Amino acid sequence: MIPPLRVLAGVRLVRHARADLAAFERAIVRLPEVTYCHHVTGNYDYVLQIEVADLPAYEEFHANQLAALPAVATVTSYVTMKILTAEGSTSRL
């Protein structure tokens, strides 16, 4: 099996009204590519962990699913190159 491409995405919403947050959260949990969704403070409203087969698959997911979710204003993507753990092990993707 080919290891998935892991992308971290910072999402900003257009508005912070409860209805917008609820609509986004209802939609995001239905996307199997999103393995984690964190509601955070700071520059983004949400930080997502997304796993797809490769970069073309992420481009399709970003354009046709993620950017189309309710109230999404911007998405900033970060492609994971390596994962380091507290135990000192390294995982290459």
Side-chain angles (χ1 to χ4, degrees):
M1 178 180 153
I2 298 171
L5 176 70
R6 184 170 292 149
V7 178
L8 302 178
V11 177
R12 286 192 191 125
L13 300 184
V14 174
R15 295 168 302 278
H16 296 105
R18 286 280 172 207
D20 292 326
L21 296 173
F24 176 82
E25 290 176 6
R26 277 192 307 274
I28 201 70
V29 298
R30 292 186 178 116
L31 300 176
E33 296 88 350
V34 178
T35 55
Y36 292 97
C37 176
H38 301 269
H39 188 197
V40 298
T41 63
N43 290 331
Y44 303 109
D45 298 308
Y46 293 88
V47 175
L48 312 176
Q49 179 175 301
I50 300 161
E51 294 184 0
V52 292
D54 51 28
L55 200 50
Y58 180 68
E59 180 182 15
E60 187 279 327
F61 173 78
H62 181 282
N64 298 318
Q65 295 183 65
L66 186 55
L69 290 177
V72 169
T74 63
V75 177
T76 303
S77 303
Y78 303 91
V79 175
T80 301
M81 295 186 296
K82 178 171 49 174
I83 299 171
L84 305 173
T85 67
E87 295 80 28
S89 61
T90 302
S91 172
R92 294 202 185 272
L93 300 176

